[in-house]
Amino acid sequence: MKAGIVGLPNVGKSTLFNCLSNAKAQSANFPFCTIEPNIGVVNVPDPRLEKLEELVKPERVLPATVEIVDIAGLVKGASKGEGLGNQFLANIRETDAILHVLRCFDNDNIVHVDGNVNPIRDKETIDMELQLKDLETVDKKLDKVKRAAKTGNKEAQKEEAILLKIKENLEAGVSVRALEFSEEDYVEYVKPSQFITDKPVMYVCNVDEGAAVSGNAYVEQVREAVKDENAEVLVLAVGTEADINELDDYEERQMFLQDIGLKEPGAAKLIRSAYKLLNQQTYFTAGVKEVRAWTVNVGATGPQAAGVIHTDFEKGFIRAEVIAYEDFVTYGSEAKVKEAGKMRVEGKNYIVKDGDVMHFLFNV
């Protein structure tokens, strides 16, 4: 699962990517600096993993990860191939969620592609380009579906009605993710088209250091503009995060954070939010060899969770021994949890909960 960082040129995307991945993507004060998308595999910060390590004392600890893609800056006309538009839009289509970076700080030394700072205009520019691309997709599909609908094909008529609803809304500037469909219609007719504006989105307001804790007037404008979108708004001082990242000493980093009023780097919060945005959750395996966080989709069953470790585990799944994370911490070890009668045995229909500590029994 991948989250793609998008935005206009020079809003702080590559600097943010560098903070998240510790990779050093080229970041420069001019557009089209990033051409190929940079991809970083980022550890998901999870204090529960540290607690399990403390209790189990394993040989190694492996956190969950999320893939972050740094996509080059989009510009007006990208949907028509302006700048390097077609390539960028193809890169966005391959991601599962969008982290939309908006410039919410004033700095005369950093060029804005449109001449001045206006995060709402910037958001609308990107939205429009993505919506135009989705309109192309709808029109192509409609051409095919209309022919079948005319012959009286009921399925085609239903799909045509749904595509026309999407087209109408896109033309009015409404993204696909804001529309309502029945679960059945969504799975059958909407999801297979992989509309770019159907992807879940989080707005990252890039502010200066003084606004890192409580935001600023630009951030309030963004919150107001997206209030009906069911999207998270995250405030991040990307330049400051980059400075913190340069410090090698943990104590120094903590002092820097305290000085600006933050409990943890904003990047850690962003990674956790991106993980949730991708509809992911974590279960753990905990033994003396390794304590490990595994990633599964929200709603995954026991066998699907086992399959993340190895496909044979899913095929030959018999049952799972499950301990709630809170019980593991309360009793301090697997043996004591068993003694207290708090270990559960779950079958094939069990829906995994975030934080479950699991052990699988399988037969190949």
Side-chain angles (χ1 to χ4, degrees):
M1 299 291 275
K2 293 188 230 176
I5 302 175
V6 307
L8 291 175
N10 294 352
V11 294
K13 297 183 308 304
S14 293
T15 308
L16 173 60
F17 175 81
N18 291 339
C19 288
L20 296 178
S21 65
N22 284 333
K24 295 294 173 198
Q26 192 181 2
S27 80
N29 189 13
F30 56 87
F32 306 129
C33 177
T34 312
I35 296 173
E36 289 303 318
N38 294 296
I39 298 177
V41 178
V42 183
N43 291 339
V44 179
D46 193 334
R48 296 174 299 183
L49 207 53
E50 291 158 32
K51 189 68 187 167
L52 288 171
E53 180 184 12
E54 195 183 296
L55 294 170
V56 179
K57 298 180 175 53
E59 288 171 26
R60 62 177 189 162
V61 178
L62 292 168
T65 59
V66 63
E67 232 174 76
I68 304 286
V69 186
D70 175 26
I71 293 163
L74 279 168
V75 291
K76 241 177 235 164
S79 57
K80 298 278 178 279
E82 283 297 321
L84 298 166
N86 292 327
Q87 196 178 336
F88 302 166
L89 289 158
N91 293 336
I92 295 170
R93 200 181 289 286
E94 284 166 22
T95 65
D96 302 285
I98 293 171
L99 308 176
H100 186 160
V101 182
L102 294 165
R103 177 170 166 177
C104 293
F105 65 90
D106 294 305
N107 183 338
D108 294 338
N109 295 322
I110 299 175
V111 182
H112 189 290
V113 75
D114 284 328
N116 65 333
V117 177
N118 182 337
I120 307 307
R121 177 203 58 213
D122 296 355
K123 173 195 170 314
E124 285 167 358
T125 297
I126 299 264
D127 283 352
M128 191 168 73
E129 294 307 323
L130 302 185
Q131 286 158 3
L132 286 168
K133 202 67 188 167
D134 278 351
L135 260 174
E136 265 180 43
T137 306
V138 171
D139 286 337
K140 277 180 194 157
K141 284 218 101 172
L142 269 170
D143 279 347
K144 288 179 189 166
V145 171
K146 274 179 173 169
R147 284 196 289 274
K150 274 179 187 162
T151 66
N153 180 317
K154 291 273 184 283
E155 282 294 297
Q157 286 170 349
K158 191 168 188 186
E159 185 170 7
E160 182 185 21
I162 286 165
L163 291 172
L164 284 169
K165 172 182 172 176
I166 292 170
K167 179 179 167 74
E168 222 171 86
N169 279 281
L170 286 169
E171 285 173 345
V174 179
S175 292
V176 178
R177 79 178 75 83
L179 306 180
E180 285 186 14
F181 303 96
S182 72
E183 180 70 23
E184 194 185 318
D185 286 351
Y186 178 77
V187 171
E188 185 73 23
Y189 305 114
V190 184
K191 198 177 179 191
S193 294
Q194 292 184 293
F195 293 113
I196 299 175
T197 66
D198 189 31
K199 296 180 192 295
V201 66
M202 174 163 60
Y203 295 99
V204 181
C205 293
N206 182 11
V207 298
D208 53 26
E209 190 177 307
V213 177
S214 46
N216 57 24
Y218 291 132
V219 174
E220 290 316 309
Q221 288 169 19
V222 173
R223 286 200 171 113
E224 181 59 29
V226 307
K227 65 178 192 293
D228 299 327
E229 278 191 40
N230 191 22
E232 189 176 347
V233 176
L234 202 75
V235 178
L236 207 63
V238 175
T240 307
E241 295 279 331
D243 293 342
I244 294 171
N245 239 18
E246 292 299 318
L247 300 171
D248 294 323
D249 183 68
Y250 174 79
E251 298 299 324
E252 278 185 43
R253 284 203 299 270
Q254 291 308 108
M255 279 168 65
F256 196 142
L257 286 166
Q258 277 170 7
D259 284 348
I260 59 173
L262 292 174
K263 288 182 183 150
E264 65 171 352
K269 195 175 170 189
L270 180 99
I271 295 162
R272 281 200 300 273
S273 299
Y275 191 67
K276 279 198 188 128
L277 193 68
L278 290 163
N279 202 33
Q280 305 279 276
Q281 63 178 4
T282 302
Y283 78 84
F284 302 101
T285 50
V288 287
K289 285 267 178 221
E290 105 182 350
V291 162
R292 182 165 182 166
W294 299 90
T295 299
V296 287
N297 283 335
V298 172
T301 61
Q304 286 168 336
V308 173
I309 299 176
H310 198 290
T311 49
D312 286 350
F313 284 26
E314 184 169 0
K315 285 178 198 156
F317 181 91
I318 299 169
R319 62 182 182 273
E321 294 175 346
V322 184
I323 302 169
Y325 167 77
E326 287 74 15
D327 288 339
F328 201 105
V329 170
T330 302
Y331 294 98
S333 74
E334 190 178 307
K336 285 182 179 163
V337 170
K338 275 184 182 170
E339 268 173 45
K342 290 287 186 181
M343 179 185 277
R344 307 188 313 276
V345 175
E346 301 287 0
K348 289 184 176 179
N349 296 326
Y350 177 66
I351 302 296
V352 177
K353 293 178 182 64
D354 186 55
D356 279 348
V357 180
M358 302 182 84
H359 176 67
F360 301 105
L361 286 91
F362 65 98
N363 181 19
V364 177

